[in-house]
Amino acid sequence: MGISIDPNKVLIFDTTLRDGEQALPQSLSTKQKLQIARALDQLGVDVIETGFPISSEGDFQSVQTIAKELKNATACALARCVAKDIEACGEALKVADHFRIHTFIATSDIHVHDKLKKSQDDVLDMAIRSIKLARNYTDDVEFSCEDAGRTPIDYLCRMVENAIKAGATTINIPDTVGYTVPEEFGGIIQTLFDRVPNIDQAIISVHCHNDLGMATANSMTAIRHGARQIECCVNGLGERAGNCSLEEVAMAIKLRQKYLNGLYTDIVATNIARTSALVAKICNEPVPPHKAIVGSNAFAHSSGIHQDGVLKNRETYEILTPQSVGFTDNTMRMTARSGRHMIRACLTQLGYPEDSYDLNEIYSRFLKLADRKGQVFDYDLEALLFFQKQDENETNHFELETLNVMSGGVNHGAIPTASVRLKVGKRSRTESCTGNGPVDAVYNCISRLTGIRCKLTSYKINANGSGMDALGEVNVNVDYNGRIFHGMGISTDVIEASALALINACNIIERARLIDREKVKERKEKNH
């Protein structure tokens, strides 16, 4: 078997980088995916589904890069029951000492007849052939019966039995469209254990979607009936209404361990808040305030009755503490007088190992921020670290040098005007423009200086921290030739943060254009 586990351990299979990413309006870069993968590895995830290698060259490279980097988690990649998909997985993952290939095919009547236009026997044969092919690359093979929640139970039992015989070591039972309710889904899992004779030769997994808001409940019911792997995403990201939320099942299992007869996971609970925030930033998907475990309201109390109870005993209205999932009280206050040792100590306390950042680079940025703000908090330090990781090892074609803005209401005779000096390659260029507001004027300058004509489709500004001195964080989505690109900027000045966000997006577009040019060049060379 690919993974042998304690019968009381529930494996956590994270698919943020595959199912979660495919629901985003923009694709993530290899560097962004690697950053998330490292956080998941530190979080204690058992298996990380790194992507779908056959889907694009970029996804193939991301899967390969992450597979090389993982220290603890098993790297996994997805494949349809198609030979070329499985071969692509094997090729991308071979850089890892141990890896998993996850192959799937639909089994419900509506999918088999209307989508695949095949018979049940044809689908069964495809599954068996694919599992056997995957076993040529690894002894850790997972097979999924897509839309198992709506699959006739007799056929589902037959499929599972034959998949295990073919060599699958994990069998995944997905509620692909979030159709089932907990007792119904638990009954499906129980029936498999009762009727499939070789069920003990594989780990039973579940992958539940949240279309009816049942994903976490269905997953928890499944492990009560014998499933020992839950497939989930950080912050519940995923197709349509999302997937089962990693933080919800991890903390439910931890908090209700006695009720669950000793079941447990290896998730490091105190890393949950940091991982959630990182995924939200990189994916440009803010966590809703009411989100369980990681939402800003999760540990807030407004009712006078609740406040009175919490002041007397927190357990009256809190079943978890903020600290148990990694939230802090933001008490680390730093000024320009703080030395490198203080910055290193604060980052260590926040959970960042020394080898995960460049201290000199972080300290340089910290001093500039401290001079502007006076006092720097832990959330500021994390923001600096995040942007340092975004930039490291990447050459930016465009860099902001200076920015001057004159603003005022056009109805009072003032025309918003901006002057921007931008480093373009090795040269510095300057442009001045007007606009219908200061940000519009700045963006007109950047558009002329970069030569990139893109359409702004989304502009969001948030306070990173609290109070008057909070950092302004700007996220933009732009449409360039039909593709959506995401940019992010952060500064005490929201106009500067806005400029940095668009420049960040332009740098990503420029790198994409460079890759496209290289591909055209390669094709021409092959033709000659």
Side-chain angles (χ1 to χ4, degrees):
M1 189 178 292
I3 294 180
S4 59
I5 62 167
D6 178 331
N8 280 343
K9 179 180 176 181
V10 177
L11 294 166
I12 297 297
F13 176 113
D14 183 273
T15 185
T16 304
L17 296 174
R18 200 275 302 168
D19 200 329
E21 194 232 11
Q22 69 190 33
L24 302 177
Q26 73 285 331
S27 296
L28 301 179
S29 68
T30 296
K31 177 160 288 297
Q32 289 172 320
K33 289 182 180 181
L34 180 59
Q35 192 173 352
I36 291 174
R38 285 171 173 162
L40 293 172
D41 207 17
Q42 293 175 7
L43 182 61
V45 166
D46 298 284
V47 184
I48 298 175
E49 191 162 50
T50 55
F52 194 5
I54 197 65
S55 63
S56 71
E57 179 62 28
D59 222 34
F60 182 97
Q61 293 296 334
S62 295
V63 170
Q64 191 170 64
T65 300
I66 294 167
K68 288 179 185 176
E69 288 276 338
L70 293 181
K71 295 179 180 178
N72 302 304
T74 296
C76 173
L78 186 68
R80 295 165 299 182
C81 283
V82 176
K84 64 179 182 179
D85 285 30
I86 294 166
E87 290 161 0
C89 287
E91 185 65 24
L93 292 168
K94 69 181 183 181
V95 296
D97 293 334
H98 173 255
F99 60 86
R100 175 181 296 187
I101 292 177
H102 179 193
T103 187
F104 74 97
I105 196 166
T107 54
S108 67
D109 286 345
I110 191 170
H111 279 256
V112 170
H113 299 149
D114 295 348
K115 184 180 78 172
L116 299 178
K117 298 189 182 301
K118 296 182 181 297
S119 69
Q120 288 184 341
D121 288 342
D122 290 336
V123 169
L124 180 60
D125 289 341
M126 289 175 67
I128 291 170
R129 286 198 305 272
S130 298
I131 293 166
K132 288 181 176 178
L133 177 59
R135 283 299 297 250
N136 290 335
Y137 294 96
T138 177
D139 64 354
D140 190 350
V141 175
E142 176 169 340
F143 173 72
S144 284
C145 308
E146 186 186 5
D147 203 21
R150 295 188 296 175
T151 298
I153 194 63
D154 290 343
Y155 183 55
L156 186 62
C157 290
R158 180 182 169 208
M159 178 65 80
V160 169
E161 180 179 356
N162 281 278
I164 296 172
K165 283 181 182 177
T169 51
T170 298
I171 299 294
N172 183 38
I173 308 300
D175 186 18
T176 304
V177 292
Y179 176 73
T180 65
V181 295
E183 288 186 4
E184 179 185 18
F185 192 65
I188 292 172
I189 302 301
Q190 187 61 58
T191 300
L192 291 174
F193 275 95
D194 291 342
R195 291 179 50 182
V196 176
N198 56 356
I199 196 83
D200 61 325
Q201 296 174 31
I203 293 168
I204 300 303
S205 175
V206 291
H207 179 123
C208 298
H209 279 261
N210 207 37
D211 298 72
L212 294 177
M214 303 284 184
T216 296
N218 282 345
S219 299
M220 295 299 296
T221 303
I223 62 173
R224 289 268 294 167
H225 287 273
R228 286 297 178 267
Q229 177 175 282
I230 294 176
E231 306 196 0
C232 45
C233 288
V234 175
N235 299 337
L237 292 177
E239 292 277 14
R240 302 179 313 280
N243 283 281
C244 177
S245 168
L246 184 152
E247 58 275 7
E248 290 176 17
V249 292
M251 293 311 294
I253 293 171
K254 182 179 177 68
L255 187 66
R256 303 306 309 275
Q257 188 175 26
K258 185 176 180 181
Y259 172 75
L260 295 169
N261 298 319
L263 296 182
Y264 69 94
T265 75
D266 282 343
I267 293 297
V268 182
T270 50
N271 283 353
I272 285 176
R274 177 164 60 88
T275 306
S276 167
L278 180 74
V279 169
K281 282 180 181 290
I282 291 178
C283 295
N284 191 24
E285 287 284 340
V287 177
H290 59 273
K291 174 73 176 67
I293 312 298
V294 291
S296 59
N297 287 351
F299 299 100
H301 305 278
S302 298
S303 161
I305 295 172
H306 286 209
Q307 290 172 345
D308 179 63
V310 169
L311 288 172
K312 293 173 178 174
N313 182 345
R314 294 191 74 133
E315 291 185 9
T316 54
Y317 289 101
E318 283 188 5
I319 58 173
L320 300 168
T321 67
Q323 291 77 16
S324 69
V325 293
F327 287 111
T328 67
D329 293 327
N330 296 323
T331 55
M332 297 182 219
R333 296 172 183 173
M334 297 156 279
T335 70
R337 296 183 297 277
S338 301
R340 283 179 174 79
H341 65 283
M342 176 64 176
I343 306 307
R344 181 171 54 238
C346 288
L347 287 171
T348 299
Q349 188 168 340
L350 287 168
Y352 296 95
E354 286 187 46
D355 61 359
S356 69
Y357 58 87
D358 182 333
L359 180 60
N360 290 330
E361 175 65 21
I362 289 292
Y363 188 65
S364 175
R365 295 188 185 197
F366 160 77
L367 288 177
K368 292 177 183 177
L369 181 62
D371 283 338
R372 294 169 72 173
K373 284 192 66 175
Q375 190 175 71
V376 177
F377 295 83
D378 56 350
Y379 50 74
D380 296 321
L381 206 54
E382 286 201 284
L384 292 178
L385 181 65
F386 173 75
F387 279 93
Q388 187 245 348
K389 281 186 168 294
Q390 286 282 86
D391 296 340
E392 66 183 9
N393 300 324
E394 287 185 347
T395 302
N396 288 326
H397 189 65
F398 309 111
E399 291 184 16
L400 180 65
E401 292 189 333
T402 61
L403 169 68
N404 290 292
V405 176
M406 182 181 76
S407 185
V410 293
N411 292 333
H412 297 89
I415 300 175
T417 306
S419 294
V420 176
R421 177 180 286 274
L422 206 64
K423 188 174 181 182
V424 182
K426 295 182 179 180
R427 298 176 57 193
S428 291
R429 298 177 58 196
T430 304
E431 187 66 69
S432 294
C433 294
T434 60
N436 56 25
V439 174
D440 186 49
V442 169
Y443 279 16
N444 288 336
C445 290
I446 294 171
S447 179
R448 289 186 185 180
L449 289 167
T450 61
I452 294 175
R453 302 291 186 264
C454 54
K455 179 182 178 182
L456 184 69
T457 61
S458 173
Y459 174 91
K460 296 177 183 176
I461 183 166
N462 298 295
N464 195 314
S466 58
M468 295 293 289
D469 290 328
L471 285 169
E473 178 188 308
V474 174
N475 287 275
V476 298
N477 283 346
V478 297
D479 185 324
Y480 178 75
N481 289 345
R483 292 175 63 188
I484 299 297
F485 293 85
H486 170 232
M488 189 186 306
I490 193 165
S491 173
T492 51
D493 184 326
V494 295
I495 305 298
E496 182 181 46
S498 300
L500 292 171
L502 183 60
I503 292 168
N504 179 220
C506 287
N507 276 312
I508 296 170
I509 291 170
E510 182 62 24
R511 284 192 282 272
R513 295 200 301 188
L514 180 61
I515 291 171
D516 291 340
R517 288 194 291 269
E518 288 294 325
K519 287 181 178 178
V520 171
K521 183 180 177 182
E522 287 177 9
R523 284 196 293 268
K524 287 182 177 178
E525 288 175 352
K526 286 181 180 179
N527 292 335
H528 288 292

